Amino acid sequence: MCNSPADYFPTGYLQDVKTIGYAGTLCSMVIQKIDKGKIELQDPQAYLSTAYSMLVIDQGLYTYCPDSHFRWVSQAPKIPNYSGCSMRHGGMILPRDILRFVKLQPDRQNSFLEYFFNVYLPIIGISTEDLIRLKEKLKQDKDCLEIKALLSKM
C-alpha cells in the first residue's frame, strides 16, 4: 500500500493501468474484478481513488474550464475511459458510479482529490483562476455532490 498519492501517482498508477489492460476502459466488470482481487494491482484503493479523482477532474474541466481541459488531456497520463466498454458491462455514466461498485476509504479518496487539486493540476499549468472556478462549479454540480464538503474545505 502506498503512503501518499505522490508515492503512487504517476508511476504506480501507470503500472496498474498496464496490468489492467482493457485499453483504459474502466467498466463495472473491471472494477468488481479489482475489488475482488482478481486483477492484482500494487494498491487497488490507490488505483480506484486516482481513477475517480481523474474522472471528476476530467468531467469538471471539460464542462466548466474547456481551455484548461485541453491542457489536462494532453498532460495527464492515461485518463480512464468509463464509458467505452465494448462488452456492454455498463453501469458507468458518471465518475461517482465507481462508488456504487466499490467502497473507497474516504480519507484516502479525499487525499487523492486534494493531491490532484492542490499539487498536480498546478504542476501541469492549470491556472489559479480555473482551479478556483472548477472547485466552485463542482460544489454546485449535482453530479459531484459527494465531494462538496471536501471542496468547501480546500
Side-chain angles (χ1 to χ4, degrees):
M1 173 155 60
C2 299
N3 293 326
S4 72
D7 291 340
Y8 179 73
F9 184 85
T11 306
Y13 172 74
L14 289 173
Q15 289 174 352
D16 284 344
V17 166
K18 190 175 183 180
T19 299
I20 291 169
Y22 299 102
T25 298
L26 188 62
C27 67
S28 58
M29 182 195 72
V30 172
I31 291 173
Q32 289 172 342
K33 282 184 175 185
I34 292 169
D35 192 41
K36 292 176 182 171
K38 292 181 180 179
I39 298 176
E40 292 187 32
L41 302 179
Q42 291 180 22
D43 187 335
Q45 284 281 317
Y47 172 78
L48 291 168
S49 293
T50 298
Y52 171 76
S53 299
M54 292 178 80
L55 292 170
V56 166
I57 290 166
D58 188 63
Q59 176 180 315
L61 288 173
Y62 179 82
T63 304
Y64 303 114
C65 308
D67 292 340
S68 286
H69 184 257
F70 178 76
R71 179 177 295 278
W72 163 252
V73 296
S74 66
Q75 299 280 330
K78 301 277 184 185
I79 299 168
N81 177 0
Y82 61 96
S83 61
C85 178
S86 62
M87 303 298 282
R88 308 270 193 271
H89 292 118
M92 300 289 291
I93 298 168
L94 302 168
R96 71 171 178 225
D97 290 335
I98 290 174
L99 307 176
R100 291 187 310 137
F101 296 102
V102 65
K103 176 115 175 86
L104 295 178
Q105 299 164 351
D107 290 345
R108 284 196 83 200
Q109 178 187 337
N110 289 347
S111 72
F112 277 84
L113 278 166
E114 288 173 341
Y115 172 79
F116 276 97
F117 275 100
N118 297 332
V119 178
Y120 188 71
L121 291 177
I123 286 173
I124 65 168
I126 304 299
S127 70
T128 302
E129 295 79 19
D130 275 357
L131 284 171
I132 292 168
R133 177 177 169 76
L134 179 61
K135 289 176 191 176
E136 290 304 312
K137 291 295 188 177
L138 287 176
K139 281 193 268 186
Q140 301 165 18
D141 190 322
K142 291 180 177 144
D143 292 337
C144 299
L145 293 177
E146 71 279 4
I147 63 170
K148 182 177 182 176
L150 174 65
L151 291 172
S152 296
K153 294 178 196 174
M154 284 197 237

